[in-house]
Amino acid sequence: PKTDIVFLKVHKSASSTVMNILFRFGETHNLTFAFPIGGGNQLFYPRHFMARFVEGFSPSSPRQFNILCHHMRFLQPEVHKVVSSSAFYFSILRNPVKLMESSFAYYKGASAFSRVRSLEEFLRQPYHYYNPTDGDRHYARNLMTFDFGFNPDGEVSAERVKLMLKAIEASFDLLLISEYFDESMVLLKEMLCWDLDSVVSFPLNIRDSSTKSPLSDTVVEKIKDWNRLDWEIYTHFNRTFWERVDRDIGRERMQREVKALRERQGELARTCLQGMGSVAPKHIKDSSLKPLQHGSARILGYNLKQGLDKETERMCRRLVTPELQYSSALYKKQFAQNLP
């Protein structure tokens, strides 16, 4: 199994669920994580990533870490300084229409969104609310483009798009698609030579559907237009994702693998969870399993079954621990000797 991994955690794209998979694998195999200085969950985002943002890195005696997966704005030469040259690079993308709808609910406090009542209102005259010089502008436009390190306000010429796609292809071994999450996990498992249980997960950091709003066709087209760079990235890598599936796995085997993954997930849900699924924040009984609530989104969580034996309880708890709590526990473990 591959143990040196860079995951670019793109915002609002099922990336917290992927992060849980990486946390569990890293913990099980005793791997080191490139944590932000002082813990925390962002590598000084939205600044471009620098090696010096990583706890325990020093230019005079650079040490390498196994897994780099916290929020960052990608900058490969700096990433190279903290991971092995043979590290596996991957990321996950999401349909920009869904991404923007989610971002609007989650980052309602961002300067571009704070003065509007609805996404429709914002899209009617975006430049009335959107200022390219605002430090948090990226939440409102081409968020994936920004996370990959590019300018979200860049012009959309065929030449520029081609260069951007080429640069992403040159840096990343695999781009997953969140709309096909299970297929993505099967492909990831293949590429990393991991077993099925390593990529099983429960969806984390997901919104209660009551805060999601259906979008009209007009709004959908406006979102694509406003996020044209993201749309180009998404459509290109959605196509190459399926080309890869056909080349490396084949549709039939993919169906079998997805079925096995879902069955295993169901089995774990029956073992671990009270009521089999996610619950609203107010119904989460164990406060250490409560996810961070943000913006106008209501983020769901889980309740574990009572009376599980110690080993099962540990396994189940790892599956449902929210990102911030899990990250902080691993940070404490990794730097136990340095903490006051």
Side-chain angles (χ1 to χ4, degrees):
K2 292 196 165 78
T3 52
D4 291 320
I5 293 162
V6 174
F7 172 54
L8 177 64
K9 188 177 188 298
V10 170
H11 287 76
K12 314 308 320 141
S13 304
S15 56
S16 294
T17 309
V18 177
M19 203 154 172
N20 176 273
I21 288 169
L22 295 172
F23 280 166
R24 284 176 3 235
F25 186 85
E27 186 177 19
T28 306
H29 295 82
N30 218 4
L31 304 176
T32 56
F33 289 88
F35 284 106
I37 285 177
N41 65 320
Q42 303 209 347
L43 287 150
F44 294 81
Y45 185 88
R47 289 161 66 184
H48 272 105
F49 175 79
M50 303 291 278
R52 60 186 164 79
F53 297 163
V54 173
E55 179 91 42
F57 174 84
S58 102
S60 52
S61 56
R63 64 173 280 206
Q64 294 189 324
F65 299 85
N66 299 116
I67 299 178
L68 173 61
C69 63
H70 286 71
H71 270 310
M72 63 170 161
R73 188 171 182 209
F74 191 66
L75 187 59
Q76 190 155 22
E78 288 292 316
V79 170
H80 272 327
K81 296 177 184 175
V82 296
V83 292
S84 131
S85 56
S86 61
F88 181 88
Y89 285 68
F90 79 104
S91 186
I92 187 163
L93 305 172
R94 184 182 185 185
N95 183 320
V97 176
K98 293 181 187 163
L99 179 70
M100 181 149 200
E101 191 274 331
S102 174
S103 195
F104 183 79
Y106 203 79
Y107 301 113
K108 191 68 185 77
S111 36
F113 293 151
S114 59
R115 293 180 294 130
V116 285
R117 282 188 303 278
S118 66
L119 190 50
E120 286 80 347
E121 191 183 328
F122 173 81
L123 291 160
R124 266 199 296 276
Q125 37 179 358
Y127 281 112
H128 189 67
Y129 309 103
Y130 177 86
N131 180 347
T133 62
D134 282 340
D136 60 358
R137 76 190 192 287
H138 51 283
Y139 292 123
R141 187 178 204 190
N142 290 315
L143 183 48
M144 294 192 287
T145 302
F146 183 86
D147 285 354
F148 277 95
F150 304 104
N151 175 10
D153 296 300
E155 52 145 359
V156 190
S157 64
E159 190 50 33
R160 205 166 168 278
V161 167
K162 205 166 106 188
L163 287 171
M164 188 171 71
L165 297 175
K166 263 202 154 108
I168 295 172
E169 272 173 346
S171 302
F172 288 83
D173 299 291
L174 181 62
L175 273 300
L176 304 174
I177 303 290
S178 67
E179 282 76 19
Y180 302 103
F181 191 79
D182 293 343
E183 291 84 352
S184 290
M185 290 307 103
V186 170
L187 202 48
L188 183 67
K189 167 176 85 73
E190 286 295 298
M191 301 291 136
L192 295 174
C193 305
W194 288 8
D195 61 6
L196 182 70
D197 268 14
S198 296
V199 296
V200 167
S201 63
F202 296 142
L204 294 174
N205 207 25
I206 52 166
R207 261 195 311 156
D208 180 352
S209 56
S210 70
T211 62
K212 296 180 185 175
S213 44
L215 305 170
S216 68
D217 294 350
T218 320
V219 167
V220 167
E221 287 313 311
K222 280 182 174 169
I223 292 177
K224 287 182 193 173
D225 221 37
W226 177 246
N227 296 283
R228 182 57 58 187
L229 292 171
D230 271 10
W231 186 251
E232 295 288 347
I233 290 176
Y234 178 76
T235 48
H236 175 82
F237 288 107
N238 191 3
R239 195 181 66 247
T240 59
F241 175 85
W242 290 105
E243 286 167 3
R244 187 120 190 205
V245 168
D246 290 336
R247 192 185 73 219
D248 296 345
I249 294 184
R251 301 280 168 127
E252 275 178 43
R253 188 176 145 221
M254 176 55 90
Q255 275 181 326
R256 286 198 305 276
E257 295 261 359
V258 164
K259 187 167 176 265
L261 180 66
R262 287 176 183 163
E263 279 168 4
R264 181 66 181 130
Q265 243 147 263
E267 212 174 288
L268 285 167
R270 284 189 293 278
T271 304
C272 296
L273 304 180
Q274 268 182 32
M276 288 287 289
S278 50
V279 296
K282 62 173 188 245
H283 297 309
I284 301 169
K285 299 186 183 97
D286 179 342
S287 61
S288 71
L289 296 179
K290 266 195 183 157
L292 174 75
Q293 300 300 314
H294 209 293
S296 64
R298 268 219 305 276
I299 307 299
L300 305 175
Y302 297 92
N303 283 318
L304 290 180
K305 271 190 179 156
Q306 299 298 298
L308 297 170
D309 66 76
K310 223 172 167 170
E311 198 41 47
T312 310
E313 208 267 352
R314 229 176 106 232
M315 179 219 21
C316 293
R317 183 169 284 276
R318 281 173 168 181
L319 278 161
V320 300
T321 298
E323 178 188 326
L324 302 188
Q325 288 92 311
Y326 208 153
S327 180
S328 137
L330 290 173
Y331 174 80
K332 285 181 184 136
K333 196 168 151 187
Q334 187 166 310
F335 295 103
Q337 67 282 10
N338 314 2
L339 290 172

